[in-house]
Structure formats: C-alpha cells, structure tokens
Amino acid sequence: MPSDLALATRSLARQPAVAAAVVGTLALAVAANTALFSVFDGLLFRPLPFDKPDAIVHLELPRLQTGAEVNALRDRLTATPLLVDEAGANQGPLFEEGVQTVIDWHLAPASVTPDFFKLLGVSPAIGRVFTEDDESADASPAILGYDLWRLHFGADRSIVGRVVDIPGTIQGRPWMVAGVMPPGFDFPSGTNIWALSVPYRGQLPLPTLARLAPGATIEIVRREFPSVGVVPLRDYVRPHGAAALGFLLGATGLLLVVAWVQIAALLFARASGRTREIGVRLALGATRTRLVRQFRSEERRVGTKSRSRW
C-alpha cells in the first residue's frame, strides 16, 4: 500500500547505514550470481554446436611403436561397424613459435583430415571445406576462423580461392584459402586456422574423432577397443568441467542464501531495536497484521533499491 511504502521509506531514511548495508549486500549477491550463471549457461547447459553431438566420441589413442601397429589399429577403426565416420584433428606446429607476428595474429592452428567438418556437421560461412583433391594442390589449403578473417584479412569475401601469405609459417609455404568458418566455431580448443593433415613418414594420421553407429554405445566400443580411450565429445571439450562448474554453481547458490540470511539477521537486529516504536504503535491500536505488512513493505523497498542499482 502507498502508506506502507511511504512509512518504510521514512524508516529506512532514519538509518541510512543499515539501509546501505542491506542494499549493498543484496545487490552484490544478485550481481555475482547473475554473472556466474551466464558463464554456466554457456559452458554447461547449452548443447555443443555440432550435428548430434551426443553421438560423437573422441578417441584417445595409445602410444604405438611401429608403423605396422599404426596401420593395424587404423584398419580396425575404419572397418568396425560400431563407428560410421572417423576423422582426425591434431593441434600441431604449423607456425614458428615465439615469432612476434604469430603472437600478434594469435594463430592457433590445427591439422585435420578431409572428413573433419563433415563429421561435426558444420559448414563454412563462405567457401568450402577440404576435399580429397586438396591433398595434391600446389598451395596448402587453409580454412580461416571468422575473427582471423575479419581482423587480418578485412572480411574480404573474395579471398576464397586466393593464395595468401601468413606470417611465421614454417618453411614459408603459401596458403590457399578454401573457406571461412562461421562466428564462434573454434574447435578444437580455440583453433582459428585449419590445415589439411599430411602423411607423416608415409603414415596416414589415425582418427581422433568418430561417430557412433545407430545402436552402438560407448561401452560397446570400449570393449571392442580396450587400448583406445573412448570419451564423449562433451567430456573432451569440457574435461572435468561439469563437476567443477556444477560445484561452483552450488557455491553461488549458497552465496545467495548466505546473503539473504545476513540481511534477515540485520533486519531482525534492527527490528529488535524498535521495541519502543512497536509498543507505541500497538498502544495506538495497530494490529499485528498491520506491523507485519509494514516490515514486508520495508523489505520490498530494499529489494527495489538493490535492483535499481543493477
């Protein structure tokens, strides 16, 4: 009621220190929880921006000693009916470390197989993905991250198909821009330029990503390949993140509860010092309901002030 709000405002104005403490505590708790929940929403609750990400697994491969072991494992992985698609992705040294231009450009490269983008179900914003024909191209094909393209190539859409120089490239080889990925795509782990994997000493790279066949489960694949670590893509992208961030989410909720408890204790202590005022009001005919309504009006007034600050 307007009269209750006016009385609450006058009561708080008589003790500005108490009002400031309550408003500050509540505002700080709400702001901290809002900011942290925004982080949790992006890291925990939003699905990965891939096609059916729950069916994609990351393959943690064992250390193999000979080329024969590599070939045998690759043949088994590509031939098993448990996996319908395989692709490789490794973050390797394509640019000279410590070169200032590489640091200024924030280059984070990854070498991938031609089926990498197809497996994830993502398409470039402009241009195309890698093809088998790119393996024999004169210039090394590259796909740029959106921010790299915008900041260092002026968001030039005609760059697709052109040969460009990127500073710090090992052996100074030229790059042919095949495409540009959409904003926000930076898999794996902050990558902003993708190159095509090349055979190492005649050995094709082993797959590190795969998609489960219909009816297949991670447990079945693990039994079939006991030497290979099979990890859901979500856990690979956010290693141990769900448990850690879930704990932090609970901690922030507890912070909000503690803030409310502190405010309640402060208001109770303040109310206990108003015994004389309450006694006078009761003597003048005020009911208990009327007093409770006034205190609730004061709390709402404090909450309104804290929200107005944020």
Side-chain angles (χ1 to χ4, degrees), residues 126 146-159 180:
I126 59 173
Y146 187 85
D147 290 338
L148 181 66
W149 168 67
R150 181 175 55 86
L151 294 175
H152 298 288
F153 294 96
D156 182 7
R157 300 181 67 88
S158 66
I159 196 174
V180 177

Side-chain angles (χ1 to χ4, degrees), residues 8 23 26 34 49 57 83 95 103 127 149 178 182 192 205 245 261 294 306:
V23 171
L26 184 58
T34 301
V57 295
L83 304 174
F95 300 93
I103 297 174
W149 168 67
N192 60 9
L245 291 176
V261 170
Q294 177 193 337
S306 64

